[in-house]
Amino acid sequence: MPKNPFTRGYRRALTKRHKIAVAGVATLGAAAVVFSAVPGNAETTTSEAAVSSAPVKYHSEQLKSRQADVSEQLAAKALQSKAAAEAKAAKAHAEAKAKAKAAAAAKKKAAHAAAAKKAAQARKAKEAASRAAHRAKLKAAVHKSYANNLDGWIKESLDIMKAKGIPGSYNGLHRNIIRESSGNPNAINNWDINAINGIPSKGLLQVIPPTFRAYHVAGTSWNIYNPVANITAAANYAADRYGSMDNVNSAY
């Protein structure tokens, strides 16, 4: 005897077609009950219409349509989700790129600022070293000591002449001093034309007072017998008149 498909022992699951068939049978049964309940004198058109209106085909097509709608909706949602995910990923990528760019710019700016600061510090250090060297040089010049003799007087005069831009050499000064005064800072000429005119030559390089005053070098003594002041003023005059004391080889 064949097994009843509606019994518990039937192991196969109902297919969609079986489900539709069962629904159709149930509908036909309901229509038969309605038909039997109608009085005999009633028109049978309505019952026949009810019996003949088999809804199986209608429900099957409707189910397919709904399934298609659901599939379309699911596909649309999948596309939307994919688009949203892609947009989110693109946004995250753009933000990461912008952050990386900002970080690179900040790093470059910091490096430039550090380089500028380092250059400024190096420049300040160089300027400070230069000022310190200049101060040391000035200090050494101020505290430089010279021997109190002809050699010391000539050397001190040469340093002053160098600072003032007055030309002359040790040999040129020494040679003319020996000829004019033999190295005596208090020497005075009382017999030449200058002495006759009342303005005798005086000092190491035998300078007359008007010439000494005219060519006196600032920073030296105004005493014409002062060795350094006498040498420096005479060298200044010789530079103006002859180009340098080195060019003088006789009375000047």
Side-chain angles (χ1 to χ4, degrees), residues 78-88:
L79 290 175
Q80 291 177 355
S81 297
K82 184 178 180 181
E86 290 177 350
K88 186 176 180 180

Side-chain angles (χ1 to χ4, degrees), residues 25-244:
V25 171
T27 302
L28 288 173
V33 172
V34 172
F35 178 76
S36 64
V38 176
N41 60 352
E43 295 182 358
T44 61
T45 305
T46 303
S47 297
E48 292 174 355
V51 172
S52 63
S53 59
V56 176
K57 185 176 181 181
Y58 170 77
H59 285 290
S60 178
E61 291 178 354
Q62 186 179 39
L63 181 60
K64 290 180 180 179
S65 177
R66 289 182 178 179
Q67 287 177 344
D69 291 341
V70 170
S71 297
E72 291 179 358
Q73 291 177 2
L74 290 174
K77 288 183 178 180
L79 290 175
Q80 291 177 355
S81 297
K82 184 178 180 181
E86 290 177 350
K88 186 176 180 180
K91 183 178 179 181
H93 178 71
E95 290 177 350
K97 188 176 181 180
K99 287 181 179 180
K101 186 177 181 180
K107 185 177 180 181
K108 185 177 181 181
K109 184 177 181 181
H112 180 72
K117 184 178 180 180
K118 186 176 181 180
Q121 290 176 343
R123 184 174 62 254
K124 288 181 179 179
K126 186 177 180 180
E127 291 174 352
S130 179
R131 289 194 297 270
H134 182 66
R135 286 195 298 268
K137 186 176 181 180
L138 290 177
K139 185 177 180 180
V142 170
H143 293 86
K144 187 175 180 179
S145 59
Y146 302 92
N148 189 25
N149 53 32
L150 181 58
D151 179 72
W153 301 331
I154 293 175
K155 288 179 178 178
E156 185 175 356
S157 295
L158 283 172
D159 285 341
I160 297 172
M161 290 164 59
K162 182 178 180 181
K164 300 296 184 177
I166 302 171
S169 67
Y170 184 97
N171 181 61
L173 294 175
H174 186 272
R175 173 168 44 82
N176 282 283
I177 288 172
I178 296 302
R179 188 189 65 251
E180 294 292 333
S181 65
S182 300
N184 178 12
N186 296 313
I188 183 171
N189 187 326
N190 292 314
W191 55 266
D192 64 3
I193 188 63
N194 291 321
I196 295 173
N197 291 330
I199 47 172
S201 301
K202 300 177 180 179
L204 289 173
L205 282 168
Q206 293 293 284
V207 182
I208 59 175
T211 300
F212 176 79
R213 289 192 296 269
Y215 289 92
H216 174 265
V217 177
T220 62
S221 173
W222 280 96
N223 182 359
I224 196 171
Y225 292 106
N226 180 277
V228 175
N230 188 282
I231 293 172
T232 310
N236 193 25
Y237 166 74
D240 182 51
R241 182 81 180 268
Y242 305 102
S244 172

